[in-house]
Amino acid sequence: MAEEGTVGDQVSGSRRTRAKGRESRRRILEAAAAVAGERGYEGTSIAQVSKVSGLPASSIYWHFADKDALLAAVVEESIELWLGQVTRGQGDSLAERVTDLCQGVARTFSESPDFLRLVLMLALERRPVEPAAREIYLRLRGEAIGRIAEELALVRPGLPDADARLVATYALGGGDGIFLASLTGDADVPALFRLHAEAIVHLVEQAEAAGS
């Protein structure tokens, strides 16, 4: 019986260790996103992430080989949520589908502000050897444009593929612009997204008319 108790204690201890490891990893990723969102890739250091997370650098290096691996993990952890929010729309009409897509983009403002600041900085920062985080984001941003184009085609099947991708690129870029405007503190974000949705609908209808 004593031996069984010892095995049980070992299993329980292993579970606690794993849970503690997951919690530490979460804190590290959140801290890294916050630091990188303010300072960019070059301005981020393991020491700063350690300070913000409250965990020693040794704990960070236990989970991640270096800063590049850490920030790549930040992007990977957040990208699926971001993709889901900005590429899945509901509604049968063009206006309904576009409005829902824009609302999804707007939700990312409140749910993932640090992530958005980080990836916008990554998109702007160029260097001879690109960090893995930037490569991941740019690849999946391209995927997001394709998904948005597919959403537009679902409600407007006559829209040429090239026009659908062009409008989708504009739609995502407009969301970036509104996010930047929101950082000034005096932007009416809901009103801007209403205008953005109207502009997207107009562009789709214009492209359809030109192609008919």
Side-chain angles (χ1 to χ4, degrees), residues 103-135:
Q103 289 174 345
V105 177
R107 282 193 294 273
T108 65
F109 285 23
S110 59
E111 295 178 5
S112 309
D114 291 333
F115 169 73
L116 290 176
R117 284 193 296 268
L118 167 59
V119 294
L120 286 177
M121 286 187 180
L122 285 171
L124 292 170
E125 294 178 351
R126 299 183 65 88
R127 54 190 60 81
V129 179
E130 297 290 7
R134 186 176 191 272
E135 293 179 353

PDB file of all heavy atoms in Angstrom, residues 103-135:
ATOM      1  N   GLN A 103     -16.748  43.623 -37.925  1.00  0.00           N
ATOM      2  CA  GLN A 103     -16.933  43.490 -36.481  1.00  0.00           C
ATOM      3  C   GLN A 103     -15.930  42.511 -35.887  1.00  0.00           C
ATOM      4  O   GLN A 103     -15.455  42.688 -34.769  1.00  0.00           O
ATOM      5  CB  GLN A 103     -18.366  43.054 -36.183  1.00  0.00           C
ATOM      6  CG  GLN A 103     -19.397  44.134 -36.451  1.00  0.00           C
ATOM      7  CD  GLN A 103     -20.825  43.645 -36.303  1.00  0.00           C
ATOM      8  OE1 GLN A 103     -21.087  42.434 -36.274  1.00  0.00           O
ATOM      9  NE2 GLN A 103     -21.770  44.567 -36.214  1.00  0.00           N
ATOM     10  N   GLY A 104     -15.591  41.459 -36.649  1.00  0.00           N
ATOM     11  CA  GLY A 104     -14.575  40.519 -36.193  1.00  0.00           C
ATOM     12  C   GLY A 104     -13.225  41.181 -36.060  1.00  0.00           C
ATOM     13  O   GLY A 104     -12.494  40.960 -35.082  1.00  0.00           O
ATOM     14  N   VAL A 105     -12.866  42.013 -37.031  1.00  0.00           N
ATOM     15  CA  VAL A 105     -11.612  42.754 -36.936  1.00  0.00           C
ATOM     16  C   VAL A 105     -11.631  43.674 -35.715  1.00  0.00           C
ATOM     17  O   VAL A 105     -10.653  43.763 -34.971  1.00  0.00           O
ATOM     18  CB  VAL A 105     -11.368  43.579 -38.218  1.00  0.00           C
ATOM     19  CG1 VAL A 105     -10.097  44.417 -38.086  1.00  0.00           C
ATOM     20  CG2 VAL A 105     -11.245  42.661 -39.430  1.00  0.00           C
ATOM     21  N   ALA A 106     -12.759  44.334 -35.505  1.00  0.00           N
ATOM     22  CA  ALA A 106     -12.880  45.247 -34.365  1.00  0.00           C
ATOM     23  C   ALA A 106     -12.696  44.509 -33.043  1.00  0.00           C
ATOM     24  O   ALA A 106     -12.105  45.050 -32.095  1.00  0.00           O
ATOM     25  CB  ALA A 106     -14.233  45.957 -34.397  1.00  0.00           C
ATOM     26  N   ARG A 107     -13.187  43.275 -32.956  1.00  0.00           N
ATOM     27  CA  ARG A 107     -13.049  42.517 -31.710  1.00  0.00           C
ATOM     28  C   ARG A 107     -11.589  42.257 -31.366  1.00  0.00           C
ATOM     29  O   ARG A 107     -11.232  42.175 -30.189  1.00  0.00           O
ATOM     30  CB  ARG A 107     -13.809  41.187 -31.809  1.00  0.00           C
ATOM     31  CG  ARG A 107     -15.306  41.315 -31.632  1.00  0.00           C
ATOM     32  CD  ARG A 107     -15.961  39.959 -31.411  1.00  0.00           C
ATOM     33  NE  ARG A 107     -15.851  39.106 -32.578  1.00  0.00           N
ATOM     34  CZ  ARG A 107     -16.722  39.101 -33.582  1.00  0.00           C
ATOM     35  NH1 ARG A 107     -17.753  39.925 -33.577  1.00  0.00           N
ATOM     36  NH2 ARG A 107     -16.572  38.279 -34.614  1.00  0.00           N
ATOM     37  N   THR A 108     -10.758  42.109 -32.385  1.00  0.00           N
ATOM     38  CA  THR A 108      -9.347  41.859 -32.094  1.00  0.00           C
ATOM     39  C   THR A 108      -8.698  43.056 -31.405  1.00  0.00           C
ATOM     40  O   THR A 108      -7.679  42.895 -30.733  1.00  0.00           O
ATOM     41  CB  THR A 108      -8.556  41.526 -33.374  1.00  0.00           C
ATOM     42  OG1 THR A 108      -8.529  42.666 -34.245  1.00  0.00           O
ATOM     43  CG2 THR A 108      -9.166  40.353 -34.114  1.00  0.00           C
ATOM     44  N   PHE A 109      -9.259  44.246 -31.580  1.00  0.00           N
ATOM     45  CA  PHE A 109      -8.690  45.426 -30.941  1.00  0.00           C
ATOM     46  C   PHE A 109      -8.692  45.282 -29.425  1.00  0.00           C
ATOM     47  O   PHE A 109      -7.720  45.639 -28.756  1.00  0.00           O
ATOM     48  CB  PHE A 109      -9.489  46.681 -31.309  1.00  0.00           C
ATOM     49  CG  PHE A 109      -9.255  47.180 -32.709  1.00  0.00           C
ATOM     50  CD1 PHE A 109      -8.787  46.336 -33.705  1.00  0.00           C
ATOM     51  CD2 PHE A 109      -9.518  48.490 -33.045  1.00  0.00           C
ATOM     52  CE1 PHE A 109      -8.577  46.784 -34.994  1.00  0.00           C
ATOM     53  CE2 PHE A 109      -9.314  48.956 -34.335  1.00  0.00           C
ATOM     54  CZ  PHE A 109      -8.845  48.098 -35.305  1.00  0.00           C
ATOM     55  N   SER A 110      -9.816  44.789 -28.887  1.00  0.00           N
ATOM     56  CA  SER A 110      -9.933  44.665 -27.436  1.00  0.00           C
ATOM     57  C   SER A 110      -9.375  43.354 -26.923  1.00  0.00           C
ATOM     58  O   SER A 110      -8.909  43.271 -25.784  1.00  0.00           O
ATOM     59  CB  SER A 110     -11.405  44.804 -27.013  1.00  0.00           C
ATOM     60  OG  SER A 110     -12.199  43.810 -27.650  1.00  0.00           O
ATOM     61  N   GLU A 111      -9.405  42.298 -27.758  1.00  0.00           N
ATOM     62  CA  GLU A 111      -8.973  40.976 -27.291  1.00  0.00           C
ATOM     63  C   GLU A 111      -7.483  40.728 -27.477  1.00  0.00           C
ATOM     64  O   GLU A 111      -6.905  39.946 -26.734  1.00  0.00           O
ATOM     65  CB  GLU A 111      -9.775  39.891 -28.028  1.00  0.00           C
ATOM     66  CG  GLU A 111     -11.256  39.923 -27.697  1.00  0.00           C
ATOM     67  CD  GLU A 111     -12.048  38.874 -28.457  1.00  0.00           C
ATOM     68  OE1 GLU A 111     -11.424  38.066 -29.174  1.00  0.00           O
ATOM     69  OE2 GLU A 111     -13.288  38.860 -28.326  1.00  0.00           O
ATOM     70  N   SER A 112      -6.858  41.383 -28.460  1.00  0.00           N
ATOM     71  CA  SER A 112      -5.442  41.099 -28.735  1.00  0.00           C
ATOM     72  C   SER A 112      -4.661  42.359 -29.083  1.00  0.00           C
ATOM     73  O   SER A 112      -3.927  42.394 -30.078  1.00  0.00           O
ATOM     74  CB  SER A 112      -5.331  40.097 -29.899  1.00  0.00           C
ATOM     75  OG  SER A 112      -6.129  38.971 -29.710  1.00  0.00           O
ATOM     76  N   PRO A 113      -4.756  43.431 -28.274  1.00  0.00           N
ATOM     77  CA  PRO A 113      -4.052  44.674 -28.642  1.00  0.00           C
ATOM     78  C   PRO A 113      -2.540  44.525 -28.678  1.00  0.00           C
ATOM     79  O   PRO A 113      -1.874  45.089 -29.567  1.00  0.00           O
ATOM     80  CB  PRO A 113      -4.506  45.668 -27.567  1.00  0.00           C
ATOM     81  CG  PRO A 113      -4.888  44.801 -26.401  1.00  0.00           C
ATOM     82  CD  PRO A 113      -5.478  43.566 -27.001  1.00  0.00           C
ATOM     83  N   ASP A 114      -1.964  43.803 -27.721  1.00  0.00           N
ATOM     84  CA  ASP A 114      -0.502  43.634 -27.713  1.00  0.00           C
ATOM     85  C   ASP A 114      -0.046  42.857 -28.950  1.00  0.00           C
ATOM     86  O   ASP A 114       0.980  43.183 -29.559  1.00  0.00           O
ATOM     87  CB  ASP A 114      -0.055  42.903 -26.446  1.00  0.00           C
ATOM     88  CG  ASP A 114      -0.236  43.748 -25.196  1.00  0.00           C
ATOM     89  OD1 ASP A 114      -0.207  44.982 -25.307  1.00  0.00           O
ATOM     90  OD2 ASP A 114      -0.413  43.164 -24.107  1.00  0.00           O
ATOM     91  N   PHE A 115      -0.803  41.831 -29.310  1.00  0.00           N
ATOM     92  CA  PHE A 115      -0.470  41.037 -30.489  1.00  0.00           C
ATOM     93  C   PHE A 115      -0.527  41.901 -31.741  1.00  0.00           C
ATOM     94  O   PHE A 115       0.365  41.828 -32.597  1.00  0.00           O
ATOM     95  CB  PHE A 115      -1.438  39.866 -30.616  1.00  0.00           C
ATOM     96  CG  PHE A 115      -1.359  39.141 -31.931  1.00  0.00           C
ATOM     97  CD1 PHE A 115      -0.278  38.318 -32.220  1.00  0.00           C
ATOM     98  CD2 PHE A 115      -2.356  39.287 -32.881  1.00  0.00           C
ATOM     99  CE1 PHE A 115      -0.193  37.649 -33.427  1.00  0.00           C
ATOM    100  CE2 PHE A 115      -2.281  38.619 -34.097  1.00  0.00           C
ATOM    101  CZ  PHE A 115      -1.198  37.804 -34.363  1.00  0.00           C
ATOM    102  N   LEU A 116      -1.556  42.743 -31.879  1.00  0.00           N
ATOM    103  CA  LEU A 116      -1.681  43.586 -33.062  1.00  0.00           C
ATOM    104  C   LEU A 116      -0.528  44.574 -33.170  1.00  0.00           C
ATOM    105  O   LEU A 116       0.022  44.790 -34.256  1.00  0.00           O
ATOM    106  CB  LEU A 116      -3.017  44.328 -33.032  1.00  0.00           C
ATOM    107  CG  LEU A 116      -4.259  43.472 -33.257  1.00  0.00           C
ATOM    108  CD1 LEU A 116      -5.523  44.315 -33.107  1.00  0.00           C
ATOM    109  CD2 LEU A 116      -4.227  42.817 -34.625  1.00  0.00           C
ATOM    110  N   ARG A 117      -0.160  45.175 -32.043  1.00  0.00           N
ATOM    111  CA  ARG A 117       0.979  46.099 -32.082  1.00  0.00           C
ATOM    112  C   ARG A 117       2.253  45.370 -32.487  1.00  0.00           C
ATOM    113  O   ARG A 117       3.061  45.875 -33.281  1.00  0.00           O
ATOM    114  CB  ARG A 117       1.160  46.772 -30.716  1.00  0.00           C
ATOM    115  CG  ARG A 117       0.148  47.864 -30.420  1.00  0.00           C
ATOM    116  CD  ARG A 117       0.569  48.699 -29.229  1.00  0.00           C
ATOM    117  NE  ARG A 117       0.607  47.919 -28.005  1.00  0.00           N
ATOM    118  CZ  ARG A 117      -0.414  47.805 -27.182  1.00  0.00           C
ATOM    119  NH1 ARG A 117      -1.568  48.399 -27.453  1.00  0.00           N
ATOM    120  NH2 ARG A 117      -0.310  47.087 -26.083  1.00  0.00           N
ATOM    121  N   LEU A 118       2.443  44.163 -31.944  1.00  0.00           N
ATOM    122  CA  LEU A 118       3.641  43.388 -32.263  1.00  0.00           C
ATOM    123  C   LEU A 118       3.709  43.059 -33.743  1.00  0.00           C
ATOM    124  O   LEU A 118       4.745  43.284 -34.392  1.00  0.00           O
ATOM    125  CB  LEU A 118       3.658  42.092 -31.442  1.00  0.00           C
ATOM    126  CG  LEU A 118       4.684  41.028 -31.871  1.00  0.00           C
ATOM    127  CD1 LEU A 118       6.097  41.578 -31.800  1.00  0.00           C
ATOM    128  CD2 LEU A 118       4.537  39.777 -31.025  1.00  0.00           C
ATOM    129  N   VAL A 119       2.630  42.524 -34.319  1.00  0.00           N
ATOM    130  CA  VAL A 119       2.716  42.079 -35.703  1.00  0.00           C
ATOM    131  C   VAL A 119       2.814  43.255 -36.670  1.00  0.00           C
ATOM    132  O   VAL A 119       3.451  43.138 -37.730  1.00  0.00           O
ATOM    133  CB  VAL A 119       1.539  41.155 -36.076  1.00  0.00           C
ATOM    134  CG1 VAL A 119       1.609  39.851 -35.278  1.00  0.00           C
ATOM    135  CG2 VAL A 119       0.183  41.837 -35.884  1.00  0.00           C
ATOM    136  N   LEU A 120       2.214  44.394 -36.323  1.00  0.00           N
ATOM    137  CA  LEU A 120       2.376  45.562 -37.184  1.00  0.00           C
ATOM    138  C   LEU A 120       3.820  46.038 -37.171  1.00  0.00           C
ATOM    139  O   LEU A 120       4.367  46.431 -38.209  1.00  0.00           O
ATOM    140  CB  LEU A 120       1.426  46.669 -36.745  1.00  0.00           C
ATOM    141  CG  LEU A 120      -0.049  46.456 -37.095  1.00  0.00           C
ATOM    142  CD1 LEU A 120      -0.900  47.588 -36.544  1.00  0.00           C
ATOM    143  CD2 LEU A 120      -0.245  46.346 -38.611  1.00  0.00           C
ATOM    144  N   MET A 121       4.451  45.998 -36.009  1.00  0.00           N
ATOM    145  CA  MET A 121       5.862  46.360 -35.934  1.00  0.00           C
ATOM    146  C   MET A 121       6.724  45.370 -36.706  1.00  0.00           C
ATOM    147  O   MET A 121       7.668  45.758 -37.406  1.00  0.00           O
ATOM    148  CB  MET A 121       6.324  46.433 -34.471  1.00  0.00           C
ATOM    149  CG  MET A 121       5.819  47.644 -33.728  1.00  0.00           C
ATOM    150  SD  MET A 121       6.564  47.756 -32.076  1.00  0.00           S
ATOM    151  CE  MET A 121       5.787  49.238 -31.462  1.00  0.00           C
ATOM    152  N   LEU A 122       6.397  44.087 -36.594  1.00  0.00           N
ATOM    153  CA  LEU A 122       7.146  43.066 -37.334  1.00  0.00           C
ATOM    154  C   LEU A 122       7.014  43.289 -38.839  1.00  0.00           C
ATOM    155  O   LEU A 122       7.981  43.105 -39.591  1.00  0.00           O
ATOM    156  CB  LEU A 122       6.642  41.669 -36.977  1.00  0.00           C
ATOM    157  CG  LEU A 122       7.053  41.117 -35.609  1.00  0.00           C
ATOM    158  CD1 LEU A 122       6.306  39.828 -35.316  1.00  0.00           C
ATOM    159  CD2 LEU A 122       8.560  40.876 -35.539  1.00  0.00           C
ATOM    160  N   ALA A 123       5.824  43.679 -39.277  1.00  0.00           N
ATOM    161  CA  ALA A 123       5.608  43.913 -40.705  1.00  0.00           C
ATOM    162  C   ALA A 123       6.439  45.094 -41.194  1.00  0.00           C
ATOM    163  O   ALA A 123       6.905  45.102 -42.343  1.00  0.00           O
ATOM    164  CB  ALA A 123       4.123  44.159 -40.973  1.00  0.00           C
ATOM    165  N   LEU A 124       6.650  46.075 -40.336  1.00  0.00           N
ATOM    166  CA  LEU A 124       7.391  47.278 -40.729  1.00  0.00           C
ATOM    167  C   LEU A 124       8.903  47.120 -40.597  1.00  0.00           C
ATOM    168  O   LEU A 124       9.657  47.756 -41.335  1.00  0.00           O
ATOM    169  CB  LEU A 124       6.930  48.470 -39.874  1.00  0.00           C
ATOM    170  CG  LEU A 124       5.493  48.948 -40.112  1.00  0.00           C
ATOM    171  CD1 LEU A 124       5.096  49.960 -39.047  1.00  0.00           C
ATOM    172  CD2 LEU A 124       5.344  49.551 -41.499  1.00  0.00           C
ATOM    173  N   GLU A 125       9.333  46.283 -39.659  1.00  0.00           N
ATOM    174  CA  GLU A 125      10.763  46.123 -39.419  1.00  0.00           C
ATOM    175  C   GLU A 125      11.350  45.110 -40.399  1.00  0.00           C
ATOM    176  O   GLU A 125      10.910  43.974 -40.463  1.00  0.00           O
ATOM    177  CB  GLU A 125      11.011  45.650 -37.982  1.00  0.00           C
ATOM    178  CG  GLU A 125      10.630  46.678 -36.926  1.00  0.00           C
ATOM    179  CD  GLU A 125      10.839  46.156 -35.513  1.00  0.00           C
ATOM    180  OE1 GLU A 125      11.114  44.951 -35.358  1.00  0.00           O
ATOM    181  OE2 GLU A 125      10.724  46.956 -34.578  1.00  0.00           O
ATOM    182  N   ARG A 126      12.362  45.532 -41.152  1.00  0.00           N
ATOM    183  CA  ARG A 126      13.033  44.635 -42.087  1.00  0.00           C
ATOM    184  C   ARG A 126      14.512  44.561 -41.714  1.00  0.00           C
ATOM    185  O   ARG A 126      15.113  45.558 -41.320  1.00  0.00           O
ATOM    186  CB  ARG A 126      12.897  45.130 -43.526  1.00  0.00           C
ATOM    187  CG  ARG A 126      11.449  45.221 -43.991  1.00  0.00           C
ATOM    188  CD  ARG A 126      11.380  45.651 -45.446  1.00  0.00           C
ATOM    189  NE  ARG A 126      11.960  44.645 -46.322  1.00  0.00           N
ATOM    190  CZ  ARG A 126      11.289  43.634 -46.828  1.00  0.00           C
ATOM    191  NH1 ARG A 126      10.001  43.488 -46.548  1.00  0.00           N
ATOM    192  NH2 ARG A 126      11.858  42.762 -47.632  1.00  0.00           N
ATOM    193  N   ARG A 127      15.093  43.362 -41.855  1.00  0.00           N
ATOM    194  CA  ARG A 127      16.507  43.170 -41.536  1.00  0.00           C
ATOM    195  C   ARG A 127      17.057  42.066 -42.425  1.00  0.00           C
ATOM    196  O   ARG A 127      16.285  41.304 -43.026  1.00  0.00           O
ATOM    197  CB  ARG A 127      16.666  42.809 -40.053  1.00  0.00           C
ATOM    198  CG  ARG A 127      15.837  41.629 -39.612  1.00  0.00           C
ATOM    199  CD  ARG A 127      15.847  41.454 -38.105  1.00  0.00           C
ATOM    200  NE  ARG A 127      15.326  42.626 -37.447  1.00  0.00           N
ATOM    201  CZ  ARG A 127      14.024  42.873 -37.299  1.00  0.00           C
ATOM    202  NH1 ARG A 127      13.140  42.034 -37.784  1.00  0.00           N
ATOM    203  NH2 ARG A 127      13.616  43.945 -36.682  1.00  0.00           N
ATOM    204  N   PRO A 128      18.370  41.972 -42.574  1.00  0.00           N
ATOM    205  CA  PRO A 128      18.959  40.972 -43.478  1.00  0.00           C
ATOM    206  C   PRO A 128      18.487  39.552 -43.194  1.00  0.00           C
ATOM    207  O   PRO A 128      18.207  38.781 -44.108  1.00  0.00           O
ATOM    208  CB  PRO A 128      20.461  41.134 -43.250  1.00  0.00           C
ATOM    209  CG  PRO A 128      20.619  42.548 -42.792  1.00  0.00           C
ATOM    210  CD  PRO A 128      19.401  42.842 -41.975  1.00  0.00           C
ATOM    211  N   VAL A 129      18.414  39.184 -41.931  1.00  0.00           N
ATOM    212  CA  VAL A 129      17.917  37.866 -41.545  1.00  0.00           C
ATOM    213  C   VAL A 129      16.590  38.075 -40.821  1.00  0.00           C
ATOM    214  O   VAL A 129      16.563  38.609 -39.716  1.00  0.00           O
ATOM    215  CB  VAL A 129      18.914  37.121 -40.634  1.00  0.00           C
ATOM    216  CG1 VAL A 129      18.346  35.768 -40.228  1.00  0.00           C
ATOM    217  CG2 VAL A 129      20.255  36.951 -41.335  1.00  0.00           C
ATOM    218  N   GLU A 130      15.493  37.685 -41.470  1.00  0.00           N
ATOM    219  CA  GLU A 130      14.182  37.941 -40.904  1.00  0.00           C
ATOM    220  C   GLU A 130      13.901  37.003 -39.736  1.00  0.00           C
ATOM    221  O   GLU A 130      14.186  35.804 -39.814  1.00  0.00           O
ATOM    222  CB  GLU A 130      13.095  37.740 -41.972  1.00  0.00           C
ATOM    223  CG  GLU A 130      13.197  38.692 -43.148  1.00  0.00           C
ATOM    224  CD  GLU A 130      12.848  40.124 -42.787  1.00  0.00           C
ATOM    225  OE1 GLU A 130      12.652  40.418 -41.594  1.00  0.00           O
ATOM    226  OE2 GLU A 130      12.781  40.947 -43.708  1.00  0.00           O
ATOM    227  N   PRO A 131      13.328  37.524 -38.656  1.00  0.00           N
ATOM    228  CA  PRO A 131      12.953  36.661 -37.539  1.00  0.00           C
ATOM    229  C   PRO A 131      11.813  35.729 -37.912  1.00  0.00           C
ATOM    230  O   PRO A 131      10.999  36.039 -38.788  1.00  0.00           O
ATOM    231  CB  PRO A 131      12.526  37.655 -36.454  1.00  0.00           C
ATOM    232  CG  PRO A 131      12.100  38.875 -37.200  1.00  0.00           C
ATOM    233  CD  PRO A 131      13.000  38.940 -38.403  1.00  0.00           C
ATOM    234  N   ALA A 132      11.773  34.593 -37.256  1.00  0.00           N
ATOM    235  CA  ALA A 132      10.731  33.601 -37.546  1.00  0.00           C
ATOM    236  C   ALA A 132       9.341  34.176 -37.312  1.00  0.00           C
ATOM    237  O   ALA A 132       8.399  33.855 -38.051  1.00  0.00           O
ATOM    238  CB  ALA A 132      10.941  32.367 -36.671  1.00  0.00           C
ATOM    239  N   ALA A 133       9.198  35.039 -36.312  1.00  0.00           N
ATOM    240  CA  ALA A 133       7.886  35.610 -36.004  1.00  0.00           C
ATOM    241  C   ALA A 133       7.346  36.404 -37.185  1.00  0.00           C
ATOM    242  O   ALA A 133       6.153  36.330 -37.511  1.00  0.00           O
ATOM    243  CB  ALA A 133       7.978  36.500 -34.766  1.00  0.00           C
ATOM    244  N   ARG A 134       8.191  37.178 -37.840  1.00  0.00           N
ATOM    245  CA  ARG A 134       7.754  37.976 -38.988  1.00  0.00           C
ATOM    246  C   ARG A 134       7.355  37.077 -40.151  1.00  0.00           C
ATOM    247  O   ARG A 134       6.344  37.315 -40.825  1.00  0.00           O
ATOM    248  CB  ARG A 134       8.856  38.941 -39.424  1.00  0.00           C
ATOM    249  CG  ARG A 134       8.431  39.920 -40.531  1.00  0.00           C
ATOM    250  CD  ARG A 134       9.548  40.914 -40.831  1.00  0.00           C
ATOM    251  NE  ARG A 134       9.080  41.985 -41.675  1.00  0.00           N
ATOM    252  CZ  ARG A 134       9.066  41.956 -43.015  1.00  0.00           C
ATOM    253  NH1 ARG A 134       9.503  40.870 -43.637  1.00  0.00           N
ATOM    254  NH2 ARG A 134       8.623  42.978 -43.709  1.00  0.00           N
ATOM    255  N   GLU A 135       8.146  36.047 -40.405  1.00  0.00           N
ATOM    256  CA  GLU A 135       7.837  35.134 -41.497  1.00  0.00           C
ATOM    257  C   GLU A 135       6.504  34.433 -41.273  1.00  0.00           C
ATOM    258  O   GLU A 135       5.706  34.279 -42.204  1.00  0.00           O
ATOM    259  CB  GLU A 135       8.958  34.103 -41.644  1.00  0.00           C
ATOM    260  CG  GLU A 135      10.279  34.697 -42.113  1.00  0.00           C
ATOM    261  CD  GLU A 135      11.373  33.660 -42.229  1.00  0.00           C
ATOM    262  OE1 GLU A 135      11.127  32.502 -41.817  1.00  0.00           O
ATOM    263  OE2 GLU A 135      12.456  34.000 -42.729  1.00  0.00           O
TER     264      GLU A 135
END
